Amino acid sequence: MTISADLTSAPSSDPAEALVALRDRLAGELAFPGQPGYELATPWNVAVVQKPIAVIVAASTDDVAETIRVCNEHGLRAAVRRTGHGAVTIDADDTVLIHTARLDAVEIDSATRTARVGGGAIWQQVLDAATPHGLAPLVGSSPNVGVSGFLTGAGIGPLVRTYGLSSDHVREFRVVTGDGQVLRAAPDENPDVFWGLRGGKGSLGIVTEVVIDLLPIATLIGGSVSFDGADAPAVLAAWRELCQDLPEHVNTSIAFMQLPPLPQIPAPLAGKLTLSVRFASVGSEDEARALLAPLLAVATPILGGVGEMPYAAIASIHADPVDPMPTREHSTLLRDLTPEGIDTLLELCGPGSGSPQTIVELRLLGGALAREPEHASAFTHRGAAFTLFAVGVLAPPVAEMVHGHGAQLMAAMAPHETGGTLPNFTATDDPARLARCYDDNARHWLGALADQHDPAGVLRVGQVIRGDLVA
């Protein structure tokens, strides 16, 4: 299907001309290849090819609903994106991309401690709006990702052990389903859709607005401490001990880091293997220091520290990259971290391993995450002890090695796996990998709900569950 930019707007049964006609009915914009606005098809992960037939820059819920209706009428499909951190391939002449950046309104209600957030807002916008009120949204490690994509993937943030999933703190969604209907999804209205949107990614619709709880957190005890890669065996063993019976107010992760020798990278970390211990707590600074003391005694840190910090600076704990880049990710969930598991990680990622991964992270789970919330959701891996996540930058000289090594790492850690993985750590449209995000019951329910609300398969693009995936 080829779109010509000089088509005139007129009623037609042809999909190409229908999109041209749609442009006149939008409050936002529609761009075909080569036109201003089409560049938004390029995701944050620039290694992922995204070449839709057109990009719709939605300015309202009505724009999204009208686009979905046109797709239904003309045999088109629709994908949605804000930042593209978890992008998957779109290279088909029957798929439009709905970009939600203009749906970014944020309204704070300090009396109810809630925020009403547009479906295209990023977490930094919510942080900026909530902080003056002494309130905090449960963000992820990066505030530069989209709110809706993070929440529909359940949301594992730096305080997940203390407060649970970020999606457990959603009060309601406004969502456009695959049949073009605009629904309010909440515990008291369309509760099945509310269940599925919290963890089901894009399976049940396109979120255009969400209401979330805010927490009265102005400061926390947090930071990161980096060690030379040569100290990895001692530090990793000490971190494992730290994780034993850790209070719920404490959250931690550890990461092998191989950051490039660039001017913006701190000199102690640039161009070599280091190990970073991340820490976040809503407890006291004295208790934090006491908990960290045994770990800090096994090796001398080369950078960083832990102390009181504004909640608004929470992104500095993980210091996730901001600029777009080409990456490849691998992830799994672990039921335990044994000395044998540590040996495996050191062999494949530690000193002398030749690992091409930029980051290999272990993140402690459990705590509040492990308990079922008041309102059940499609998230089904609450019993996992750790998530293991590897990301490699696809740049010379290691680009060709990243995928094979990542697969090797996951295979080597298989004896410690739960068999599952997290939706937000699984950027894929591969049915086998998607199936690992859910247990059998959740997969079946998500598939049935998706088929019910999208009988024509308009949203059957990317990271979604459908009925035939679980047959």
Side-chain angles (χ1 to χ4, degrees):
M1 186 184 299
T2 302
I3 295 292
S4 174
D6 61 1
L7 288 171
T8 58
S9 179
S12 171
S13 60
D14 180 74
E17 294 188 6
L19 287 174
V20 176
L22 170 65
R23 177 156 49 188
D24 293 336
R25 303 197 299 273
L26 296 175
E29 293 83 38
L30 185 151
F32 297 118
Q35 296 181 338
Y38 190 82
E39 71 278 359
L40 292 173
T42 303
W44 184 89
N45 183 357
V46 296
V48 178
V49 174
Q50 296 208 321
K51 297 180 179 178
I53 187 175
V55 174
I56 286 85
V57 185
S60 66
T61 297
D62 287 344
D63 279 359
V64 177
E66 185 66 15
T67 300
I68 295 300
R69 291 171 192 139
V70 168
C71 290
N72 272 280
E73 292 167 3
H74 297 279
L76 296 170
R77 299 187 300 167
V80 63
R81 197 185 69 239
R82 172 55 178 97
T83 65
H85 280 75
V88 296
T89 299
I90 301 173
D91 192 11
D93 63 2
D94 67 346
T95 302
V96 299
L97 175 64
I98 299 174
H99 200 277
T100 60
R102 289 184 59 182
L103 303 176
D104 65 348
V106 178
E107 300 175 7
I108 305 298
D109 187 333
S110 58
T112 61
R113 293 180 180 171
T114 60
R116 184 173 295 273
V117 182
I122 63 172
W123 282 109
Q124 188 63 57
Q125 293 171 283
V126 187
L127 270 171
D128 292 344
T131 297
H133 300 275
L135 298 173
L138 281 179
V139 303
S141 59
S142 170
N144 297 302
V145 301
V147 171
S148 294
F150 181 74
L151 292 175
T152 56
I156 302 285
L159 294 179
V160 68
R161 286 174 38 80
T162 308
Y163 297 108
L165 296 171
S166 297
S167 62
D168 291 341
H169 295 265
V170 172
R171 295 199 180 189
E172 64 178 76
F173 294 96
R174 193 180 194 194
V175 59
V176 179
T177 54
D179 55 6
Q181 300 298 308
V182 180
L183 303 180
R184 175 180 176 268
D188 62 347
E189 187 174 355
N190 298 302
D192 53 349
V193 178
F194 184 68
W195 170 87
L197 287 173
R198 293 173 300 126
K201 292 299 283 188
S203 300
L204 300 189
I206 296 174
V207 172
T208 62
E209 190 176 78
V210 59
V211 178
I212 60 172
D213 291 323
L214 300 174
L215 301 175
I217 308 172
T219 63
L220 71 156
I221 308 303
S224 63
V225 182
S226 295
F227 299 86
D228 189 277
D231 293 319
V235 173
L236 194 54
W239 184 78
R240 177 178 177 270
E241 289 301 313
L242 170 67
C243 291
Q244 306 298 314
D245 301 318
L246 204 59
E248 285 190 11
H249 67 75
V250 176
N251 300 259
T252 186
S253 65
I254 192 168
F256 294 93
M257 310 281 287
Q258 296 193 101
L259 303 181
L262 298 174
Q264 62 267 36
I265 303 296
L269 308 181
K272 64 179 182 179
L273 176 67
T274 60
L275 201 64
S276 176
V277 175
R278 291 82 167 265
F279 187 94
S281 171
V282 294
S284 71
E285 187 166 358
D286 287 345
E287 185 175 4
R289 294 191 183 282
L291 287 167
L292 284 169
L295 186 149
L296 296 176
V298 302
T300 301
I302 59 174
L303 189 70
V306 171
E308 186 174 23
M309 62 188 296
Y311 183 89
I314 195 170
S316 66
I317 296 174
H318 284 250
D320 287 347
V322 175
D323 296 331
M325 61 183 62
T327 66
R328 182 66 188 263
E329 302 169 352
H330 295 80
S331 70
T332 192
L333 288 169
L334 305 182
R335 66 174 181 273
D336 57 34
L337 181 62
T338 64
E340 293 76 17
I342 287 179
D343 289 343
T344 299
L345 288 170
L346 289 169
E347 178 184 354
L348 291 174
C349 306
S353 65
S355 168
Q357 308 300 329
T358 307
I359 300 172
V360 177
E361 181 198 65
L362 281 166
R363 191 176 303 195
L364 179 65
L365 303 177
L369 166 65
R371 294 191 294 274
E372 288 294 331
E374 178 182 0
H375 304 291
S377 74
F379 182 82
T380 58
H381 295 310
R382 294 182 181 274
F386 300 87
T387 179
L388 173 63
F389 179 61
V391 56
V393 176
L394 303 179
V398 300
E400 299 301 320
M401 301 168 56
V402 168
H403 175 58
H405 179 271
Q408 180 187 8
L409 173 61
M410 297 301 134
M413 293 299 290
H416 308 280
E417 289 183 351
T418 67
T421 189
L422 299 174
N424 277 347
F425 290 73
T426 310
T428 184
D429 55 5
D430 175 62
R433 289 187 65 198
L434 284 174
R436 295 183 59 202
C437 293
Y438 310 97
D439 63 20
D440 290 344
N441 186 61
R443 283 198 305 274
H444 280 281
W445 275 107
L446 276 173
L449 287 168
D451 292 343
Q452 174 188 337
H453 291 284
D454 183 19
V458 169
L459 299 179
R460 195 185 177 96
V461 182
Q463 192 171 330
V464 297
I465 294 293
R466 304 304 299 230
D468 58 352
L469 292 179
V470 296

